[in-house]
Amino acid sequence: MIKAPKLSNDCFSLPQGINWTPVDDALKLLQQRLNTVVEIETIPVQMSDGRTLASAVEAIISNPPFKNSAVDGYAFKGGLSAGQHCFSLIGGRSVAGTSFAGIVGATEALRILTGAPLPLGTDTIVLEEDVLVEGSNLYVNGPLRQGSNARQEGEDVLGGSELFATGHRIQPQDIGRLISVGVSEVAVFRPLRVAIVSTGSELCEPGSILQPEQIFDANRPMLQAMLKRWGMDVVDIGIVPDDAALVRRALNDAASQADVVITSAGASAGDEDYVSASLTSAGNMSLWRIAVKPGRPLALGMWNGVPVFGLPGNPVAAFVCTLIFVRPSLMQLAGAGFILPEPLMLPAAFSKTKKAGRREYLRARRQGEAIETFASEGSGRISGLSWADGLVELPDEALEITPGISVNYFPYSSFGL
Ligand code: AMP
Ligand code: MG
């Protein structure tokens, strides 16, 4: 296995004197500082669904590997001019999985079935529906182009041509394509192992009985499901109360098992914010005050050589920050490159006055060809995430949005959800 280079301990440090980092600058910094941290392994193509290619893949053979018939019909040589033509049918057939041993003469034709190799002396096939057979005479009406209904060798893929580039994530249809051209193994990156920690003394596991001051831990299961969609392996560290020693222990535990750690809550600079306090005490933390709504600071740091993404606790902010900042970062660590989604430009079905100075993401959904937004922008309103089918991105500048104005809309599918 080839070991990937490690990240440096100051990989999240921010340039001096910056108060609020614009989203684009934050993304640029993350892209520059992070690199692939997973090893490469070779696996059978059949097992490769969802995996990321670690090297480009070339076709070993062509598809089709030999000239064959696209239809059930009769094979002969040459195109036909308009009018009736007659061939003499020779005995035997060419069927899929066998080769016809003989040669078909210039005035002769042979029965052929779909997928069967074109016999020597033929290059054109007429559909069985388009002929008249009388004894050993085959009558065909022209015109018919030379090469009709024949699949040429390599017309789909030529042996030796590049099929997929490094970083491509293999889909089920790609498996079919790879196999068809003789590729049986691929070099892929080992799935990224992501540890998830929920912090907060108010949090409870789903299914347990809540005390009056408690809430269920919504973030951890939500984040786990997102990571699985992205083809990552989850290491579940559980819930950790707001306690400095316990948070440090959880970070030790997480960093020893995973390539990257995601925490939720406790990421600000408050009294009970032990994720940021721990990372600061380790000397490798940067509080990224990104000019974005929703999202309070992101606490980014290194713990025992492993990058830690400290998300805000509010589920909406945790979700949005994960899509916007954490997903491309994880993709980069996983070898897939710093993948950013492509927005669709669609007319707004809402009105809003947006102030300058920060980017905003609103829970949004398509209504016909227009985009409507969730009534509340409250960061704790988880229902809006399910109501929506994507996010609207409003630019850093001030903007007066009225119905009909084009906005950037990202369907959840553009984030791989
Ligand atoms: P914090 O970032 O710790 O200040 O938390 C911000 C808000 O998010 C608080 O109202 C927390 O109770 C809430 N919160 C924190 N973690 C979770 C979680 N895992 N699931 C649901 N809500 C959470
Ligand atoms: Mg808290």
Side-chain angles (χ1 to χ4, degrees):
M1 270 200 188
I2 303 161
K3 197 77 192 146
K6 287 276 165 223
L7 301 176
S8 78
N9 260 342
D10 61 354
C11 78
F12 292 122
S13 63
L14 283 175
Q16 289 296 308
I18 290 197
N19 263 334
W20 289 94
T21 308
V23 170
D24 287 338
D25 294 3
L27 290 174
K28 228 171 277 162
L29 281 168
L30 290 168
Q31 180 169 18
Q32 283 164 8
R33 307 281 183 78
L34 300 173
N35 53 256
T36 305
V37 295
V38 285
E39 307 86 25
I40 295 168
E41 59 190 12
T42 299
I43 60 167
V45 170
Q46 297 92 306
M47 313 286 286
S48 69
D49 183 34
R51 302 292 294 272
T52 300
L53 286 175
S55 61
V57 183
E58 287 179 2
I60 293 171
I61 62 167
S62 296
N63 180 48
F66 51 86
K67 276 189 193 173
N68 69 87
S69 179
V71 296
D72 289 350
Y74 296 87
F76 58 91
K77 187 169 184 70
L80 298 177
S81 56
Q84 199 179 60
H85 301 262
C86 181
F87 294 93
S88 62
L89 261 182
I90 59 172
R93 300 184 308 165
S94 183
V95 297
T98 59
S99 295
F100 179 74
I103 300 180
V104 180
T107 58
E108 294 175 336
L110 177 79
R111 177 79 172 134
I112 191 166
L113 300 182
T114 307
L118 259 64
L120 280 176
T122 71
D123 58 13
T124 305
I125 297 132
V126 59
L127 277 168
E128 64 184 13
E129 296 90 315
D130 295 344
V131 303
L132 181 67
V133 179
E134 272 181 7
S136 63
N137 283 339
L138 178 83
Y139 297 95
V140 186
N141 276 322
L144 193 65
R145 190 183 45 81
Q146 185 169 22
S148 289
N149 300 313
R151 300 173 179 146
Q152 303 304 317
E153 176 181 339
E155 71 174 23
D156 177 36
V157 177
L158 274 180
S161 57
E162 184 173 316
L163 301 173
F164 299 107
T166 304
H168 175 76
R169 182 147 186 236
I170 296 182
Q171 306 295 311
Q173 60 273 25
D174 303 336
I175 292 179
R177 188 177 183 221
L178 288 162
I179 295 286
S180 75
V181 292
V183 179
S184 58
E185 289 186 325
V186 281
V188 294
F189 292 109
R190 163 177 69 70
L192 191 72
R193 274 196 290 270
V194 187
I196 307 193
V197 187
S198 277
T199 73
S201 298
E202 73 277 35
L203 300 179
C204 240
E205 290 289 356
S208 50
I209 296 178
L210 284 186
Q211 299 304 312
E213 62 285 347
Q214 290 183 314
I215 61 170
F216 289 115
D217 173 9
N219 289 342
R220 206 167 97 251
M222 176 174 74
L223 291 166
Q224 286 181 8
M226 293 165 88
L227 296 169
K228 284 184 187 155
R229 292 270 178 119
W230 300 334
M232 293 159 191
D233 288 348
V234 175
V235 180
D236 185 7
I237 303 294
I239 297 171
V240 184
D242 293 316
D243 174 283
L246 293 178
V247 167
R248 281 201 300 272
R249 199 164 79 190
L251 287 173
N252 283 339
D253 192 16
S256 70
Q257 296 182 63
D259 303 304
V260 52
V261 180
I262 297 179
T263 66
S264 82
S268 303
D271 300 353
E272 296 292 304
D273 287 332
Y274 294 107
V275 172
S276 46
S278 302
L279 289 170
T280 304
S281 70
N284 297 318
M285 194 195 68
S286 281
L287 206 56
W288 286 36
R289 290 189 176 80
I290 304 175
V292 66
K293 183 185 171 191
R296 283 187 311 171
L298 275 186
L300 302 185
M302 297 295 287
W303 188 268
N304 297 344
V306 171
V308 180
F309 290 81
L311 294 171
N314 276 309
V316 175
F319 182 82
V320 172
C321 286
T322 300
L323 293 185
I324 304 300
F325 303 106
V326 179
R327 177 174 179 262
S329 303
L330 297 183
M331 290 295 180
Q332 179 98 318
L333 296 169
F338 201 79
I339 295 177
L340 294 175
E342 282 294 326
L344 303 172
M345 296 275 287
L346 291 174
F350 60 96
S351 302
K352 181 180 159 72
T353 304
K354 186 202 161 287
K355 293 200 204 90
R358 69 177 178 195
R359 193 163 298 185
E360 292 188 21
Y361 292 94
L362 308 177
R363 284 147 279 179
R365 72 181 181 194
R366 275 172 103 140
Q367 188 198 45
E369 270 314 287
I371 295 297
E372 55 178 1
T373 49
F374 190 58
S376 162
E377 291 184 18
S379 196
R381 301 283 285 268
I382 310 178
S383 346
L385 295 175
S386 300
W387 174 93
D389 60 14
L391 300 176
V392 152
E393 179 189 62
L394 303 181
D396 300 358
E397 307 83 62
L399 189 65
E400 187 65 43
I401 298 144
T402 50
I405 282 192
S406 276
V407 289
N408 277 351
Y409 162 74
F410 295 94
Y412 284 152
S413 59
S414 69
F415 299 106
L417 295 185

mmCIF file of all heavy atoms in Angstrom, residues 61-70 145 147-159 161 177 181:
data_model
loop_
_atom_site.group_PDB
_atom_site.id
_atom_site.type_symbol
_atom_site.label_atom_id
_atom_site.label_comp_id
_atom_site.label_asym_id
_atom_site.label_seq_id
_atom_site.Cartn_x
_atom_site.Cartn_y
_atom_site.Cartn_z
ATOM 1 N N ILE A 61 -9.509 -4.194 -23.812
ATOM 2 C CA ILE A 61 -9.938 -4.606 -25.155
ATOM 3 C C ILE A 61 -10.998 -3.621 -25.655
ATOM 4 O O ILE A 61 -11.454 -2.767 -24.902
ATOM 5 C CB ILE A 61 -10.517 -6.043 -25.161
ATOM 6 C CG1 ILE A 61 -11.767 -6.121 -24.275
ATOM 7 C CG2 ILE A 61 -9.458 -7.058 -24.725
ATOM 8 C CD1 ILE A 61 -12.565 -7.388 -24.471
ATOM 9 N N SER A 62 -11.351 -3.749 -26.924
ATOM 10 C CA SER A 62 -12.376 -2.870 -27.494
ATOM 11 C C SER A 62 -13.771 -3.390 -27.172
ATOM 12 O O SER A 62 -13.958 -4.574 -26.908
ATOM 13 C CB SER A 62 -12.225 -2.827 -29.016
ATOM 14 O OG SER A 62 -10.996 -2.247 -29.372
ATOM 15 N N ASN A 63 -14.730 -2.493 -27.231
ATOM 16 C CA ASN A 63 -16.140 -2.888 -27.168
ATOM 17 C C ASN A 63 -16.862 -2.325 -28.382
ATOM 18 O O ASN A 63 -16.830 -1.123 -28.601
ATOM 19 C CB ASN A 63 -16.811 -2.374 -25.899
ATOM 20 C CG ASN A 63 -18.269 -2.797 -25.854
ATOM 21 O OD1 ASN A 63 -18.576 -3.964 -26.090
ATOM 22 N ND2 ASN A 63 -19.172 -1.877 -25.604
ATOM 23 N N PRO A 64 -17.489 -3.150 -29.230
ATOM 24 C CA PRO A 64 -17.443 -4.610 -29.169
ATOM 25 C C PRO A 64 -16.051 -5.115 -29.522
ATOM 26 O O PRO A 64 -15.345 -4.462 -30.279
ATOM 27 C CB PRO A 64 -18.449 -5.046 -30.238
ATOM 28 C CG PRO A 64 -19.166 -3.820 -30.690
ATOM 29 C CD PRO A 64 -18.355 -2.649 -30.308
ATOM 30 N N PRO A 65 -15.713 -6.293 -29.026
ATOM 31 C CA PRO A 65 -14.380 -6.837 -29.327
ATOM 32 C C PRO A 65 -14.281 -7.381 -30.752
ATOM 33 O O PRO A 65 -13.180 -7.575 -31.251
ATOM 34 C CB PRO A 65 -14.194 -7.958 -28.302
ATOM 35 C CG PRO A 65 -15.511 -8.177 -27.674
ATOM 36 C CD PRO A 65 -16.445 -7.069 -28.032
ATOM 37 N N PHE A 66 -15.404 -7.651 -31.403
ATOM 38 C CA PHE A 66 -15.401 -8.133 -32.799
ATOM 39 C C PHE A 66 -16.667 -7.607 -33.467
ATOM 40 O O PHE A 66 -17.633 -7.250 -32.789
ATOM 41 C CB PHE A 66 -15.351 -9.670 -32.841
ATOM 42 C CG PHE A 66 -16.406 -10.320 -31.983
ATOM 43 C CD1 PHE A 66 -17.684 -10.558 -32.480
ATOM 44 C CD2 PHE A 66 -16.135 -10.675 -30.656
ATOM 45 C CE1 PHE A 66 -18.659 -11.125 -31.690
ATOM 46 C CE2 PHE A 66 -17.118 -11.241 -29.853
ATOM 47 C CZ PHE A 66 -18.380 -11.473 -30.369
ATOM 48 N N LYS A 67 -16.632 -7.556 -34.802
ATOM 49 C CA LYS A 67 -17.821 -7.134 -35.568
ATOM 50 C C LYS A 67 -18.954 -8.103 -35.295
ATOM 51 O O LYS A 67 -18.741 -9.325 -35.380
ATOM 52 C CB LYS A 67 -17.519 -7.203 -37.060
ATOM 53 C CG LYS A 67 -16.830 -6.007 -37.626
ATOM 54 C CD LYS A 67 -16.828 -6.152 -39.136
ATOM 55 C CE LYS A 67 -15.877 -5.165 -39.761
ATOM 56 N NZ LYS A 67 -15.737 -5.382 -41.190
ATOM 57 N N ASN A 68 -20.140 -7.598 -34.993
ATOM 58 C CA ASN A 68 -21.252 -8.527 -34.764
ATOM 59 C C ASN A 68 -22.562 -7.899 -35.186
ATOM 60 O O ASN A 68 -22.638 -6.705 -35.497
ATOM 61 C CB ASN A 68 -21.258 -9.006 -33.307
ATOM 62 C CG ASN A 68 -21.634 -7.906 -32.345
ATOM 63 O OD1 ASN A 68 -22.807 -7.674 -32.076
ATOM 64 N ND2 ASN A 68 -20.636 -7.189 -31.826
ATOM 65 N N SER A 69 -23.580 -8.733 -35.191
ATOM 66 C CA SER A 69 -24.876 -8.277 -35.689
ATOM 67 C C SER A 69 -25.680 -7.602 -34.593
ATOM 68 O O SER A 69 -25.722 -8.074 -33.451
ATOM 69 C CB SER A 69 -25.665 -9.473 -36.240
ATOM 70 O OG SER A 69 -26.920 -9.004 -36.694
ATOM 71 N N ALA A 70 -26.344 -6.497 -34.941
ATOM 72 C CA ALA A 70 -27.193 -5.774 -33.993
ATOM 73 C C ALA A 70 -28.627 -6.293 -34.017
ATOM 74 O O ALA A 70 -29.448 -5.871 -33.206
ATOM 75 C CB ALA A 70 -27.175 -4.283 -34.314
ATOM 76 N N ARG A 145 -27.837 0.617 -46.849
ATOM 77 C CA ARG A 145 -26.470 1.132 -46.734
ATOM 78 C C ARG A 145 -25.516 -0.013 -46.359
ATOM 79 O O ARG A 145 -25.876 -0.880 -45.555
ATOM 80 C CB ARG A 145 -26.437 2.226 -45.663
ATOM 81 C CG ARG A 145 -25.174 3.043 -45.569
ATOM 82 C CD ARG A 145 -25.273 4.044 -44.392
ATOM 83 N NE ARG A 145 -25.804 3.410 -43.176
ATOM 84 C CZ ARG A 145 -25.077 2.678 -42.341
ATOM 85 N NH1 ARG A 145 -23.799 2.466 -42.573
ATOM 86 N NH2 ARG A 145 -25.638 2.159 -41.257
ATOM 87 N N GLY A 147 -22.943 -1.897 -44.357
ATOM 88 C CA GLY A 147 -22.644 -1.817 -42.918
ATOM 89 C C GLY A 147 -23.894 -1.715 -42.057
ATOM 90 O O GLY A 147 -23.796 -1.689 -40.823
ATOM 91 N N SER A 148 -25.085 -1.689 -42.697
ATOM 92 C CA SER A 148 -26.314 -1.569 -41.909
ATOM 93 C C SER A 148 -26.433 -2.714 -40.901
ATOM 94 O O SER A 148 -26.111 -3.866 -41.216
ATOM 95 C CB SER A 148 -27.536 -1.611 -42.830
ATOM 96 O OG SER A 148 -27.622 -0.437 -43.568
ATOM 97 N N ASN A 149 -26.915 -2.361 -39.713
ATOM 98 C CA ASN A 149 -27.225 -3.340 -38.655
ATOM 99 C C ASN A 149 -26.018 -4.150 -38.188
ATOM 100 O O ASN A 149 -26.192 -5.193 -37.542
ATOM 101 C CB ASN A 149 -28.346 -4.281 -39.085
ATOM 102 C CG ASN A 149 -29.614 -3.515 -39.390
ATOM 103 O OD1 ASN A 149 -30.014 -2.660 -38.604
ATOM 104 N ND2 ASN A 149 -30.219 -3.776 -40.540
ATOM 105 N N ALA A 150 -24.821 -3.669 -38.539
ATOM 106 C CA ALA A 150 -23.611 -4.342 -38.040
ATOM 107 C C ALA A 150 -22.964 -3.447 -36.995
ATOM 108 O O ALA A 150 -22.941 -2.228 -37.157
ATOM 109 C CB ALA A 150 -22.633 -4.587 -39.184
ATOM 110 N N ARG A 151 -22.493 -4.031 -35.916
ATOM 111 C CA ARG A 151 -21.745 -3.271 -34.904
ATOM 112 C C ARG A 151 -20.268 -3.458 -35.209
ATOM 113 O O ARG A 151 -19.791 -4.599 -35.275
ATOM 114 C CB ARG A 151 -22.043 -3.806 -33.501
ATOM 115 C CG ARG A 151 -23.498 -3.741 -33.106
ATOM 116 C CD ARG A 151 -23.657 -4.477 -31.770
ATOM 117 N NE ARG A 151 -25.017 -4.453 -31.274
ATOM 118 C CZ ARG A 151 -25.560 -5.469 -30.596
ATOM 119 N NH1 ARG A 151 -24.855 -6.578 -30.364
ATOM 120 N NH2 ARG A 151 -26.791 -5.383 -30.149
ATOM 121 N N GLN A 152 -19.584 -2.336 -35.412
ATOM 122 C CA GLN A 152 -18.167 -2.422 -35.764
ATOM 123 C C GLN A 152 -17.319 -2.663 -34.518
ATOM 124 O O GLN A 152 -17.656 -2.193 -33.426
ATOM 125 C CB GLN A 152 -17.704 -1.123 -36.440
ATOM 126 C CG GLN A 152 -18.511 -0.762 -37.677
ATOM 127 C CD GLN A 152 -18.514 -1.883 -38.719
ATOM 128 O OE1 GLN A 152 -17.470 -2.488 -38.979
ATOM 129 N NE2 GLN A 152 -19.666 -2.174 -39.289
ATOM 130 N N GLU A 153 -16.219 -3.357 -34.711
ATOM 131 C CA GLU A 153 -15.285 -3.579 -33.607
ATOM 132 C C GLU A 153 -14.836 -2.217 -33.050
ATOM 133 O O GLU A 153 -14.444 -1.338 -33.806
ATOM 134 C CB GLU A 153 -14.059 -4.350 -34.134
ATOM 135 C CG GLU A 153 -12.995 -4.531 -33.071
ATOM 136 C CD GLU A 153 -11.767 -5.268 -33.609
ATOM 137 O OE1 GLU A 153 -11.896 -5.962 -34.639
ATOM 138 O OE2 GLU A 153 -10.706 -5.133 -32.996
ATOM 139 N N GLY A 154 -14.963 -2.032 -31.736
ATOM 140 C CA GLY A 154 -14.478 -0.794 -31.103
ATOM 141 C C GLY A 154 -15.337 0.422 -31.355
ATOM 142 O O GLY A 154 -14.929 1.536 -31.032
ATOM 143 N N GLU A 155 -16.541 0.252 -31.899
ATOM 144 C CA GLU A 155 -17.348 1.455 -32.188
ATOM 145 C C GLU A 155 -17.792 2.144 -30.908
ATOM 146 O O GLU A 155 -18.054 3.343 -30.888
ATOM 147 C CB GLU A 155 -18.556 1.132 -33.087
ATOM 148 C CG GLU A 155 -19.640 0.331 -32.396
ATOM 149 C CD GLU A 155 -20.898 0.147 -33.257
ATOM 150 O OE1 GLU A 155 -20.800 0.238 -34.491
ATOM 151 O OE2 GLU A 155 -21.966 -0.101 -32.675
ATOM 152 N N ASP A 156 -17.865 1.400 -29.816
ATOM 153 C CA ASP A 156 -18.211 2.003 -28.522
ATOM 154 C C ASP A 156 -16.939 2.481 -27.811
ATOM 155 O O ASP A 156 -16.814 3.652 -27.485
ATOM 156 C CB ASP A 156 -18.959 0.962 -27.678
ATOM 157 C CG ASP A 156 -19.301 1.480 -26.299
ATOM 158 O OD1 ASP A 156 -19.611 2.679 -26.177
ATOM 159 O OD2 ASP A 156 -19.254 0.679 -25.336
ATOM 160 N N VAL A 157 -15.999 1.586 -27.598
ATOM 161 C CA VAL A 157 -14.740 1.911 -26.921
ATOM 162 C C VAL A 157 -13.605 1.220 -27.660
ATOM 163 O O VAL A 157 -13.703 0.028 -27.969
ATOM 164 C CB VAL A 157 -14.744 1.401 -25.455
ATOM 165 C CG1 VAL A 157 -13.404 1.672 -24.788
ATOM 166 C CG2 VAL A 157 -15.869 2.033 -24.650
ATOM 167 N N LEU A 158 -12.526 1.954 -27.909
ATOM 168 C CA LEU A 158 -11.342 1.346 -28.516
ATOM 169 C C LEU A 158 -10.406 0.876 -27.423
ATOM 170 O O LEU A 158 -10.183 1.599 -26.445
ATOM 171 C CB LEU A 158 -10.610 2.376 -29.373
ATOM 172 C CG LEU A 158 -11.084 2.539 -30.809
ATOM 173 C CD1 LEU A 158 -10.249 3.596 -31.506
ATOM 174 C CD2 LEU A 158 -10.970 1.192 -31.557
ATOM 175 N N GLY A 159 -9.878 -0.331 -27.583
ATOM 176 C CA GLY A 159 -8.890 -0.831 -26.633
ATOM 177 C C GLY A 159 -7.780 0.190 -26.461
ATOM 178 O O GLY A 159 -7.323 0.766 -27.442
ATOM 179 N N SER A 161 -8.030 3.076 -24.952
ATOM 180 C CA SER A 161 -8.479 4.453 -24.702
ATOM 181 C C SER A 161 -8.796 4.647 -23.220
ATOM 182 O O SER A 161 -9.126 3.700 -22.506
ATOM 183 C CB SER A 161 -9.691 4.792 -25.566
ATOM 184 O OG SER A 161 -10.718 3.872 -25.331
ATOM 185 N N ARG A 177 -19.414 -0.894 -17.865
ATOM 186 C CA ARG A 177 -18.509 -0.430 -18.916
ATOM 187 C C ARG A 177 -17.102 -1.004 -18.722
ATOM 188 O O ARG A 177 -16.472 -1.476 -19.680
ATOM 189 C CB ARG A 177 -18.471 1.099 -18.865
ATOM 190 C CG ARG A 177 -17.721 1.741 -20.000
ATOM 191 C CD ARG A 177 -17.811 3.249 -19.882
ATOM 192 N NE ARG A 177 -17.153 3.899 -21.016
ATOM 193 C CZ ARG A 177 -16.386 4.978 -20.913
ATOM 194 N NH1 ARG A 177 -16.181 5.522 -19.730
ATOM 195 N NH2 ARG A 177 -15.829 5.494 -21.978
ATOM 196 N N VAL A 181 -14.920 -3.999 -21.251
ATOM 197 C CA VAL A 181 -13.664 -3.792 -21.969
ATOM 198 C C VAL A 181 -12.488 -4.470 -21.267
ATOM 199 O O VAL A 181 -11.328 -4.080 -21.418
ATOM 200 C CB VAL A 181 -13.367 -2.295 -22.189
ATOM 201 C CG1 VAL A 181 -14.387 -1.716 -23.156
ATOM 202 C CG2 VAL A 181 -13.367 -1.538 -20.877
#
